[in-house]
Amino acid sequence: MTAPASSQSPEASAGDTDGEASSGPAARDSAARESAARDSAARDSAARASAVPDPGSPLRPARLGGAVWLALAVVYVVWGSTYLAIRISVETMPSFLSAAARFLTAGLMLSGFLLVRSGPAALRVSARQLASSALVGVLLLTGGNGLVVLGERSVPSGLAALLVAAVPLWMVLLTASGGERPRPAELVGVLLGLVGLGVLSAPAFGGDIAPLGVIVIICATLTWAGGSFVSKRLPMPGNVLAASAYQMLAGGLADLLVGLVRGEAHGLDVAAVSGRSWFALAYLVLFGSLLAFTAYAWLLRNAPLTLVSTYAYVNPVVAVLLGWLILAEPLTGPTLAGGAIVVAGVCLVVSVSRKPART
């Protein structure tokens, strides 16, 4: 309990002298005015404090820094080119074993870099963090990327990229299931992007495409979206590079196990692997994994999930353009129209994600 505001303090009573007795009423009036002024200042200060957002409140960042846009650019361009690299690598390499070679090599290189730069402490994590990293790595790199590699044995790289564009839709649905309501404009952007991808992929489905390969890649989009979703809700290592290293090692080991179970090692002749496939694998290790995957893992922690998922809209456009530049694939009217619609959907989602929103 606090004392009433009108009570006199002991110090004030002790300070009165006989010579000041005649000025008592004036002093009391002055003290009352000072007390009222202090109370008013306290109320103003409390009001200003309550207007400052709580750092722990569920707010999206009002501004996204340059690092976010740089990481997005890397994921947009580099991952758009990996579909072509995967298609070339599986020309003479088995699917899951090539994926295992990619991620185990990248994971070991990243772990070695951390050890040299920061010592063993950089890789020290708790058992829960290690388990979480392993789960996310298997979902992303075995269920996600590994199935894409398998599907691209019968599905063209451009079409594979188009199919992977379903990832943002699954992410929005998973986000909604987690209690976070997507903005209407974000949903419109997702749907607009899917319409554009439908325009892009319609001519491809008129050709001779293996249905099983298409189904495999659709399954890959589901597991990739699931891995991206749970990575934001599990206890991950504080060091993003360490988390990426553990994810790649876990995913690579799972790819190796699946490849061995599928019998991909039987009859494997390393000498028969073409130089084109080796070059493609090296590109996937250095750029697709060490650079782009690490950028993606960082984005999952530092940007809205709906913004991060827009990479799946841009990647098909990059894949189609690379097919035109490198493989002389024709740029048809539907390709140009679908690409324009996709870019419009990305711009809508990006513009909405930059604005603050309370949940």
Side-chain angles (χ1 to χ4, degrees), residues 41-329:
R43 287 193 297 269
D44 292 342
S45 177
R48 287 192 299 270
S50 64
V52 178
D54 181 3
S57 62
L59 288 174
R60 294 181 186 174
R63 288 188 176 183
L64 300 177
V68 170
W69 301 114
L70 178 60
L72 273 175
V74 169
V75 174
Y76 280 174
V77 177
V78 174
W79 269 359
S81 66
T82 56
Y83 292 95
L84 179 63
I86 290 173
R87 181 68 174 172
I88 295 174
S89 69
V90 297
E91 288 177 349
T92 56
M93 289 181 176
S95 301
F96 278 96
L97 291 186
S98 66
R102 168 187 175 181
F103 294 117
L104 287 175
T105 302
L108 290 173
M109 291 176 64
L110 187 55
S111 300
F113 169 76
L114 288 173
L115 285 173
V116 171
R117 190 187 71 169
S118 305
L123 294 173
R124 191 172 296 122
V125 296
S126 68
R128 291 187 62 194
Q129 291 173 333
L130 182 61
S132 298
S133 298
L135 174 61
V136 172
V138 171
L139 288 173
L140 292 179
L141 304 180
T142 305
N145 186 270
L147 290 178
V148 169
V149 175
L150 179 63
E152 282 203 43
R153 298 195 71 87
S154 58
V155 175
S157 61
L159 178 57
L162 295 172
L163 294 171
V164 172
V167 167
L169 178 59
W170 310 138
M171 284 188 175
V172 170
L173 295 176
L174 288 171
T175 300
S177 69
E180 181 180 343
R181 176 179 293 183
R183 296 177 177 180
E186 289 174 326
L187 292 175
V188 171
V190 170
L191 294 176
L192 184 61
L194 291 176
V195 169
L197 292 171
V199 174
L200 278 171
S201 60
F205 281 106
D208 190 14
I209 298 172
L212 181 59
V214 173
I215 294 173
V216 167
I217 294 178
I218 291 176
C219 292
T221 67
L222 289 168
T223 56
W224 184 276
S228 300
F229 178 76
V230 300
S231 70
K232 298 178 76 70
R233 289 158 174 78
L234 294 176
M236 303 295 291
N239 189 318
V240 175
L241 295 181
S244 297
Y246 286 125
Q247 289 169 18
M248 287 189 282
L249 290 173
L253 288 173
D255 284 327
L256 177 61
L257 179 61
V258 174
L260 293 175
V261 171
R262 294 184 71 245
E264 292 183 355
H266 296 318
L268 175 62
D269 184 4
V270 177
V273 177
S274 68
R276 279 164 49 95
S277 293
W278 283 119
F279 180 81
L281 181 62
Y283 178 85
L284 291 170
V285 169
L286 296 176
F287 294 94
S289 295
L290 289 177
L291 180 61
F293 183 75
T294 300
Y296 181 76
W298 182 85
L299 282 169
L300 288 177
R301 298 189 184 190
N302 295 277
L305 190 58
T306 49
L307 175 60
V308 178
S309 66
T310 58
Y311 79 89
Y313 291 162
V314 181
N315 286 173
V317 178
V318 174
V320 170
L321 289 176
L322 288 178
W324 173 64
L325 290 172
I326 298 176
L327 302 178
E329 296 176 349

Side-chain angles (χ1 to χ4, degrees), residues 8-28:
Q8 292 288 330
S9 66
E11 291 81 359
S13 300
D16 291 335
T17 63
D18 293 337
E20 294 171 333
S22 60
S23 61
R28 285 194 294 272

